[in-house]
């Protein structure tokens, strides 16, 4: 009796491992094919792949939604991108997945100067608590959405210890902070620093 139970347990373990390996194989295969189609700019074929039942079966919902988002981004369709980000609201995601999507969405909508959607994803990130890029996100939100200068001192410290490439983006940020503060002299000063940094990079290319 015990021998039969052990054999049955071993068989179950073997079947589970085999099933996991098969899933992993097809996930990698589908993902590779999707990225190949994105690189080749074959939108219709990619749309077809992502709507297949087999794709939905083998890929986790987060992986599928992520590929659909990347597909929308490759097309440059702003409405579709916004809808793809919104689709993640219906998913149950772990902390790492939330950080990934919410941070991407925040920076995307900030680049589009869409304060409404940027605020939405900022608040979702704040609900997580501690997350990657917390300083950069809180700093940019306070500066460009709230029009404040709460992180000015921190930004100046980081500026003094940063490399040349980092100094450019920090100088631009600091300029905006000083402008919010009403300090036109320093706003102009750091704006010029940022512009000179960009010009230097262009000349060195």
């Amino acid at each position: 009796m015990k021998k039969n139970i052990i054999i049955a347990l071993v068989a179950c373990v073997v079947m589970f491992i085999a099933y996991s390996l098969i899933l992993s194989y097809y996930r990698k295969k589908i993902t590779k094919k999707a990225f190949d189609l994105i690189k080749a700019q074959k939108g219709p074929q990619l749309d077809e792949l992502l709507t297949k039942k087999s794709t939905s079966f083998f890929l986790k919902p987060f992986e599928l939604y992520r590929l659909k988002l990347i597909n929308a981004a490759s097309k440059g369709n702003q409405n579709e991108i916004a809808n793809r980000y919104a689709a993640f609201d219906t998913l149950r995601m772990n902390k790492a997945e939330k950080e990934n999507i919410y941070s991407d969405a925040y920076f995307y909508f900030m680049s589009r100067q869409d304060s409404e959607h940027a605020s939405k994803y900022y608040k979702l990130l704040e609900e997580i608590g501690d997350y990657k890029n917390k300083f950069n996100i809180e700093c940019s939100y306070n500066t460009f959405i709230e029009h404040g200068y709460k992180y000015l001192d921190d930004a100046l410290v980081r500026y003094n210890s940063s490399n040349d490439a980092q100094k450019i983006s920090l100088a631009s940020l600091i300029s905006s902070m000083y402008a919010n503060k009403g300090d036109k002299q320093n706003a102009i000063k750091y704006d010029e620093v940022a512009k000179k940094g960009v010009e230097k990079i262009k000349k060195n290319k």
Side-chain angles (χ1 to χ4, degrees), residues 12-203:
C12 287
V13 171
V14 170
M15 287 177 65
F16 176 77
I17 293 172
Y19 179 70
S20 298
L21 289 172
I22 291 169
L23 280 180
S24 178
Y25 169 78
Y26 279 104
R27 277 176 187 157
K28 289 178 181 177
K29 185 177 180 179
I30 292 169
T31 302
K32 183 182 182 304
K33 186 175 181 180
F35 277 108
D36 287 343
L37 290 171
I38 290 170
K39 289 177 183 177
Q41 297 183 335
K42 294 183 177 180
Q45 292 93 322
L46 181 58
D47 289 333
E48 184 181 346
L49 173 66
L50 297 179
T51 53
K52 282 185 175 180
K53 289 183 179 180
S54 58
T55 301
S56 298
F57 176 78
F58 286 112
L59 292 185
K60 294 177 181 178
F62 181 82
E63 294 170 336
L64 180 59
Y65 278 44
R66 184 73 171 163
L67 283 173
K68 288 181 177 180
L69 172 61
I70 294 170
N71 184 29
S74 70
K75 297 175 187 175
N77 187 319
Q78 307 304 328
N79 289 332
E80 188 178 352
I81 293 170
N83 289 336
R84 289 303 176 194
Y85 274 123
F88 284 93
D89 294 346
T90 64
L91 289 185
R92 292 184 64 181
M93 297 184 286
N94 60 39
K95 184 175 183 288
E97 290 170 341
K98 287 178 180 179
E99 281 187 34
N100 185 303
I101 290 302
Y102 297 161
S103 295
D104 279 359
Y106 173 79
F107 285 118
Y108 169 73
F109 287 114
M110 282 293 285
S111 71
R112 301 289 304 168
Q113 297 182 336
D114 184 339
S115 59
E116 181 181 350
H117 283 95
S119 295
K120 169 189 172 180
Y121 290 101
Y122 171 78
K123 290 171 184 175
L124 287 171
L125 282 166
E126 289 299 295
E127 288 177 9
I128 294 174
D130 190 29
Y131 56 89
K132 294 177 183 177
N133 288 323
K134 189 175 179 72
F135 173 81
N136 292 334
I137 289 173
E138 289 187 339
C139 185
S140 61
Y141 186 83
N142 176 257
T143 305
F144 299 112
I145 303 294
E146 298 178 327
H147 306 292
Y149 51 92
K150 179 180 177 181
Y151 298 91
L152 178 57
D153 291 340
D154 289 326
L156 287 169
V157 170
R158 288 173 182 250
Y159 175 83
N160 291 327
S161 60
S162 64
N163 59 43
D164 289 343
Q166 293 169 333
K167 273 184 165 64
I168 296 171
S169 57
L170 280 168
S172 180
L173 179 65
I174 290 168
S175 173
S176 296
M177 289 179 175
Y178 274 122
N180 292 343
K181 191 178 181 180
D183 187 337
K184 293 182 179 179
Q185 184 177 348
N186 276 313
I188 293 170
K189 172 186 171 182
Y190 281 94
D191 183 54
E192 289 298 321
V193 169
K195 287 178 180 177
K196 287 178 180 178
V198 172
E199 290 173 4
K200 184 178 178 182
I201 289 175
K202 287 180 178 179
K203 288 179 181 178

